[in-house]
Amino acid sequence: MARHSGDPLLASAALALLEQATSAGTWALALPQRQLLWSTQLTRLLELPGTPALDWERFPEIFAPGSRERMAAALQACLNHSTAFDEEVQVLTARGRLLSVRALGQAVHDASGALVHLSGVIKDLSAEKRAEQETQSLTMRLGTTLASITDAFVTLDRDGLLTYVNPQSERLLHRESRELLGQPIWKALDDNRPEPLRQNLTAALTNTTPLEFELFCAVPGKWLELRVYPFEAGLAMYLRDVTEKRQAQEQLLLLQTSISRLNDIVLITEAGAVDAPGPYIVFVNDAFERHTGYSRAEVVGKTPRLLQGQRTQRAELDRIRLALRQAQPVRAELINYKKDGTQFWMELDIVPVDYFNRGLTHWVAVARDITERKAAEDEIEHLAFYDALTQLPNRQLLMNNLRQALSHTANPDKNGALMFIDLDNFKVLNDTRGHATGDLLLQKVAARLNSCVRLRDTVARLGGDEFVVLLEDLGDDPQLASTKARIVAQKVLGALCEPCDLAGYDYDGTCSIGITLFNQHQQSVGDLLKQADLAMYQAKAAGRNAICFFDPGMQALVTANAALTSELRQGLRNQDFVLHYQPQVGREGCMVGAEALVRWRHPERGLVAPDSFITQAEDSGLILPLGQWVLETACAQLAAWAQRPETEKFSVAINVSVRQFRHPEFVEMVMKAIEQAGISAHRLQLELTESLLANDMDVTIAKMGILKSAGVTLSIDDFGIGYSALSYLKYLPLDQLKIDRNFVKDVLTDPNDAAIARTIIGLAQSLGLGVMAEGVETEAQRDFLARHGCHCYQGYLFCRPLPIQELEVFIQGLPQTSV
């Protein structure tokens, strides 16, 4: 059986550091027993959960099918013939990821030449492979980019000499590259007036900043736009013929004079491509400057996109672009932004212009400011569809958007996701810091949620601390849609975990997220909301600060749990529960008491063990009346035993759940049960779980102290498998630690379990506590425990749990000295 990194062959700290630094893991095969050992780094590399369960014969299974046969042969050759190997292969991780690795192995002999073990290394080559691919890709992209540049493009050294000339530059300058290379750029463009160009290029080199300017160049006889970009070896320069644009600018001066005095906004652009980066603005009137705050000089040569911002309607822009591509006039209402960032509404008419019968040359837009009208419309809509506190869409708008998302017929296979987000422990913040602080947190959460999603996604607040995110258009592939939804959820989880300043109060919060996927083939709005809600509660049940996807099993589980809760409630009404008792024995094998274990006499399923219903009783809150019944019944049994000499010294142990213990009236409930039964408090033993130590330690210690002062015996049940807050044990008023049956079961065969059992016994002795072992089934287990200081036992070696009638028969059959 494979083992983890506790062996000397793998336990070296230096080796662990080396493995981490090299992204490698090690293994070894100890001979002759053929024990396969793994390093922790190797299990992480292979994404294996816990200790791997592979032995030597199954070791090749970690390699991908294409590499498995070759590695199996290499491993066998290394074992049989001491043949070392060094192979580049692929492994398949436990999570299904395919990794490229380098696998090395060698045989190790002792001084006499005998083979003592095999050693091997598996190194992750994924990063190296990616680097090689990225380098190749970069080289290809660079070559493709240079080849695809449509403008004239040259490079210069730091003295201004041409070092590269593309074909477009040759055509523009009417000279071949062999004539141009090595020549100063100013001589190639204008030998008569070189100084302006030389000065601009020197400034670009000195300041290491890009430079863009226009210059009339005598050699081609054209106005050229020069865009200069410094780099380490010199300058890269684009040259573009802008002669026609300069001429057009002169013509536009006439238009500017005629329409600059209009009150309506007028904007004229070239009729270039409607997609990025054009079309370019060639004229704006005075009204444009007054309304937008941009001067004419700031916008000419730019695109109308400078007026667009976060809330500019993308769908409306797409409609405008479609009309422009078809050279059709179009009317639209757009949200635009002034130079100072102020948002305003613009109603505009765009018409094509055929200038001097040369075909479509310009677009003319005439616009009016309709901000006041839109503000009135928006206020009415906002009151109806938005949350007043967070300004997020409310339930009504969310439902509208969700119905719309489910009604699209253009692509019914397109997937979306609905995400339920609930803030963890929000009530605690409200109760301790006040509702004003809670409201401030909700507002900050709303802002952070909006920053995590796309503009077309919906972030809504349902009420309280519940938020919903609707993600649409996640693609046709459900698996890919799931991945995208998880990425957004992880982004949300991270954003809401960031510390938050609530008016001077530093708050660290978490959230629980439930997600369900959908497409147009699927369910109703109500079903989707219910599924996301179920997934969110599943995330809370998983420990909070978690993400959970809905699956049909959740609905089935909820239905089953609801049915089980109903049956439990009916069972409590019908008194269908009964206690079985398992004897506990002391040092000489004499019975000293019993543990009370609840059973359910189900009318259809017969006798049901607690594993099948206790969890649901906890979740539903029925553990409180059930636990009270167990307490009162156990106390009544103690009272009955106290009347007989042979049983008057018996104690009864009962299990107490976390929810019971946390109940504000739990201590009073225990004291009342003891008083009503008229028993000695120290005969009642409460077995508490380690999860009580996870939080609220002050409250836990205080309650235990009251019970201890009253004489109740306190024990930690199943010690070692739960929270194990050892630092708190010295503060807890305990009487006993109880060794869990999982450690007792393999105490004779598993050195780790034996070590844990010895440690618990030693810890109890050092703290002056008693110790009891449960699950003792053999004499050998009892003898082991006795040798190390544990003399109280419970298990099938002595007796199984029995109904009280059978237990009484068992007690009567014991030797008189045993009782």
Side-chain angles (χ1 to χ4, degrees):
M1 177 177 172
R3 289 168 47 196
H4 213 339
S5 58
D7 262 81
L9 288 171
L10 300 176
S12 165
L15 176 59
L17 286 173
L18 183 59
E19 287 180 327
Q20 184 177 356
T22 58
S23 298
T26 59
W27 58 267
L29 179 68
L31 298 173
Q33 64 270 35
R34 294 199 179 191
Q35 184 181 19
L36 185 60
L37 310 174
W38 304 69
S39 71
T40 301
Q41 183 65 23
L42 183 55
T43 61
R44 290 174 182 162
L45 176 64
L46 299 176
E47 299 178 337
L48 293 169
T51 302
L54 294 179
D55 53 22
W56 173 251
E57 284 70 22
R58 294 182 59 203
F59 186 38
E61 293 179 10
I62 69 171
F63 296 97
S67 305
R68 193 170 298 159
E69 186 175 345
R70 173 154 55 108
M71 285 307 303
L75 290 167
Q76 199 61 38
C78 189
L79 177 63
N80 294 341
H81 307 296
S82 298
T83 305
F85 60 85
D86 186 347
E87 303 282 351
E88 279 198 19
V89 292
Q90 290 182 317
V91 295
L92 191 62
T93 72
R95 296 182 182 175
R97 293 197 307 130
L98 203 61
L99 297 180
S100 295
V101 300
R102 182 182 178 187
L104 303 92
Q106 66 178 11
V108 179
H109 301 80
D110 60 16
S112 66
L115 180 62
V116 291
H117 67 268
L118 303 185
S119 293
V121 176
I122 295 179
K123 173 176 171 55
D124 186 1
L125 299 179
S126 300
E128 297 175 17
K129 295 293 184 182
R130 284 195 299 270
E132 290 177 6
Q133 292 172 356
E134 289 173 1
T135 300
Q136 293 173 358
S137 175
L138 180 60
T139 302
M140 292 178 63
R141 288 200 302 270
L142 182 58
T144 302
T145 300
L146 288 174
S148 63
I149 293 175
T150 56
D151 285 342
F153 176 76
V154 300
T155 60
L156 316 173
D157 65 13
R158 301 190 69 82
D159 294 324
L161 304 182
L162 289 159
T163 57
Y164 173 77
V165 178
N166 73 345
Q168 287 80 1
S169 299
E170 292 179 312
R171 288 192 288 272
L172 179 65
L173 302 177
H174 308 298
R175 295 171 66 184
E176 296 182 1
S177 60
R178 57 186 174 82
E179 302 176 65
L180 294 168
L181 293 176
Q183 294 291 322
I185 183 65
W186 41 83
K187 184 175 182 180
L189 293 178
D190 193 344
D191 199 18
N192 296 325
R193 297 176 62 250
E195 283 310 311
L197 180 57
R198 191 202 303 260
Q199 291 172 0
N200 281 330
L201 299 184
T202 301
L205 281 169
T206 302
N207 300 326
T208 65
T209 55
L211 189 62
E212 182 176 331
F213 57 95
E214 293 181 1
L215 192 69
F216 183 80
C217 299
V219 174
K222 299 177 182 294
W223 278 92
L224 298 182
E225 177 191 73
L226 304 180
R227 287 174 289 149
V228 183
Y229 302 91
F231 66 100
E232 185 177 354
L235 298 171
M237 180 187 295
Y238 292 88
L239 303 91
R240 189 157 68 104
D241 183 355
V242 293
T243 304
E244 290 187 5
K245 187 184 79 169
R246 297 281 295 204
Q247 293 171 348
Q249 289 173 341
E250 294 174 1
Q251 295 170 350
L252 283 173
L253 289 174
L254 298 174
L255 296 173
Q256 180 181 3
T257 303
S258 61
I259 62 175
S260 61
R261 298 291 191 271
L262 292 176
N263 289 326
D264 285 344
I265 296 170
V266 177
L267 179 147
I268 302 175
T269 71
E270 295 176 333
V274 296
D275 295 319
Y280 294 102
I281 298 172
V282 295
F283 173 80
V284 294
N285 69 343
D286 294 346
F288 177 94
E289 293 183 296
R290 290 194 303 272
H291 278 83
T292 68
Y294 287 103
S295 69
R296 191 171 287 109
E298 289 176 305
V299 299
V300 170
K302 306 293 177 55
T303 77
R305 288 183 179 83
L306 66 91
L307 297 176
Q308 297 168 15
Q310 183 179 5
R311 294 196 61 203
T312 303
Q313 310 94 306
R314 303 303 164 190
E316 195 74 349
L317 292 175
D318 291 340
R319 188 175 67 85
I320 293 172
R321 290 191 188 99
L322 179 60
L324 297 185
R325 288 192 188 100
Q326 298 171 350
Q328 297 295 319
V330 61
R331 172 174 287 188
E333 294 181 354
L334 280 180
I335 297 175
N336 284 316
Y337 291 82
K338 298 181 180 182
K339 182 179 179 179
D340 62 4
T342 303
Q343 174 185 304
F344 72 103
W345 275 92
M346 181 186 290
E347 179 185 71
L348 71 161
D349 290 280
I350 305 174
V351 294
V353 174
D354 181 357
Y355 190 61
F356 290 144
N357 297 317
R358 293 188 298 167
L360 181 61
T361 59
H362 295 84
W363 295 101
V364 176
V366 179
R368 292 154 293 283
D369 189 334
I370 57 169
T371 303
E372 291 185 5
R373 190 190 84 195
K374 282 295 183 180
E377 295 174 359
D378 288 346
E379 184 176 0
I380 295 171
E381 180 183 5
H382 198 84
L383 291 172
F385 294 109
Y386 288 86
D387 174 56
L389 176 64
T390 62
Q391 306 306 310
L392 292 178
N394 60 16
R395 177 184 291 271
Q396 180 63 43
L397 184 53
L398 171 69
M399 300 293 279
N400 291 347
N401 291 352
L402 192 50
R403 277 190 286 267
Q404 186 176 3
L406 289 174
S407 65
H408 292 322
T409 57
N411 186 356
D413 294 321
K414 185 170 290 186
N415 292 281
L418 191 66
M419 187 183 303
F420 252 55
I421 303 163
D422 187 85
L423 304 184
D424 297 330
N425 302 313
F426 178 74
K427 184 177 184 299
V428 175
L429 176 69
N430 257 349
D431 292 344
T432 57
R433 307 297 299 189
H435 289 280
T437 303
D439 288 348
L440 182 57
L441 175 63
L442 294 175
Q443 291 170 335
K444 289 182 177 289
V445 166
R448 292 186 182 186
L449 287 176
N450 274 325
S451 71
C452 293
V453 300
R454 303 165 298 182
L455 286 176
R456 64 175 178 270
D457 297 325
T458 300
V459 178
R461 180 186 176 217
L462 294 187
D465 61 334
E466 288 188 335
F467 295 84
V468 175
V469 175
L470 172 61
L471 304 174
E472 297 187 66
D473 300 333
L474 296 181
D476 301 339
D477 182 356
Q479 189 63 41
L480 182 58
S482 175
T483 300
K484 291 179 179 178
R486 182 175 292 278
I487 289 172
V488 175
Q490 289 170 339
K491 189 175 180 182
V492 167
L493 205 64
L496 298 192
C497 285
E498 288 292 324
C500 189
D501 179 15
L502 302 179
Y505 171 63
D506 291 332
Y507 179 74
D508 291 307
T510 61
C511 67
S512 300
I513 302 176
I515 306 172
T516 186
L517 300 177
F518 65 88
N519 57 40
Q520 281 72 48
H521 292 295
Q522 287 180 235
Q523 55 278 71
S524 68
V525 170
D527 290 339
L528 284 178
L529 292 170
K530 186 185 301 182
Q531 290 173 4
D533 198 30
L534 282 174
M536 183 270 291
Y537 278 106
Q538 188 70 18
K540 281 193 176 296
R544 306 176 188 267
N545 194 26
I547 300 166
C548 184
F549 277 81
F550 172 81
D551 64 67
M554 284 185 187
Q555 186 66 59
L557 180 62
V558 169
T559 303
N561 286 342
L564 181 58
T565 299
S566 177
E567 291 179 349
L568 283 169
R569 188 172 285 108
Q570 186 64 38
L572 284 168
R573 283 196 291 264
N574 296 341
Q575 299 182 343
D576 288 336
F577 292 91
V578 65
L579 290 185
H580 284 196
Y581 298 85
Q582 184 169 33
Q584 297 175 332
V585 302
R587 181 186 296 268
E588 303 300 329
C590 59
M591 182 174 171
V592 296
E595 180 178 2
L597 302 166
V598 68
R599 301 289 189 267
W600 182 9
R601 291 180 301 197
H602 194 280
E604 297 174 1
R605 289 184 279 159
L607 199 64
V608 179
D611 291 347
S612 301
F613 62 85
I614 286 296
T615 300
Q616 186 58 28
E618 285 266 11
D619 293 342
S620 63
L622 294 177
I623 194 67
L624 298 176
L626 179 58
Q628 183 173 0
W629 175 84
V630 170
L631 174 65
E632 293 172 351
T633 305
C635 288
Q637 185 58 52
L638 277 173
W641 278 342
Q643 303 304 313
R644 294 155 45 192
E646 69 273 19
T647 59
E648 63 180 351
K649 294 183 179 180
F650 282 3
S651 64
V652 172
I654 64 172
N655 292 289
V656 177
S657 76
V658 175
R659 187 157 185 175
Q660 276 181 280
F661 191 87
R662 298 288 186 220
H663 193 280
E665 300 178 1
F666 174 72
V667 173
E668 289 78 2
M669 188 187 306
V670 173
M671 303 311 298
K672 183 178 180 182
I674 293 172
E675 181 182 354
Q676 288 180 342
I679 62 172
S680 176
H682 74 275
R683 299 296 180 194
L684 177 65
Q685 184 178 79
L686 302 182
E687 294 190 354
L688 311 175
T689 63
E690 283 186 282
S691 54
L692 271 174
L693 311 182
N695 49 50
D696 294 336
M697 281 300 301
D698 292 341
V699 176
T700 299
I701 292 173
K703 282 190 175 183
M704 292 176 68
I706 296 172
L707 293 168
K708 177 72 173 178
S709 298
V712 178
T713 303
L714 301 176
S715 171
I716 293 292
D717 192 21
D718 300 335
F719 188 78
I721 66 170
Y723 185 73
S724 296
L726 299 180
S727 61
Y728 284 104
L729 281 182
K730 63 181 179 181
Y731 301 113
L732 298 177
L734 291 171
D735 296 284
Q736 184 186 75
L737 300 181
K738 198 168 184 181
I739 305 175
D740 183 70
R741 67 181 65 251
N742 289 316
F743 301 133
V744 174
K745 179 180 65 173
D746 295 325
V747 73
L748 301 175
T749 57
D750 190 324
N752 293 328
D753 286 348
I756 291 172
R758 289 195 301 269
T759 301
I760 294 174
I761 295 169
L763 180 63
Q765 291 173 341
S766 67
L767 294 174
L769 303 178
V771 61
M772 175 174 287
E774 64 179 358
V776 179
E777 298 183 355
T778 68
E779 295 282 354
Q781 290 171 343
R782 183 191 62 183
D783 292 344
F784 173 89
L785 294 165
R787 282 198 306 273
H788 293 92
C790 176
H791 302 291
C792 292
Y793 320 101
Q794 177 181 336
Y796 276 34
L797 173 63
F798 309 100
C799 185
R800 63 182 177 83
L802 298 172
I804 187 60
Q805 298 83 358
E806 295 182 27
L807 180 66
E808 292 291 356
V809 174
F810 173 81
I811 293 172
Q812 294 302 319
L814 293 174
Q816 188 63 30
T817 56
S818 298
V819 296

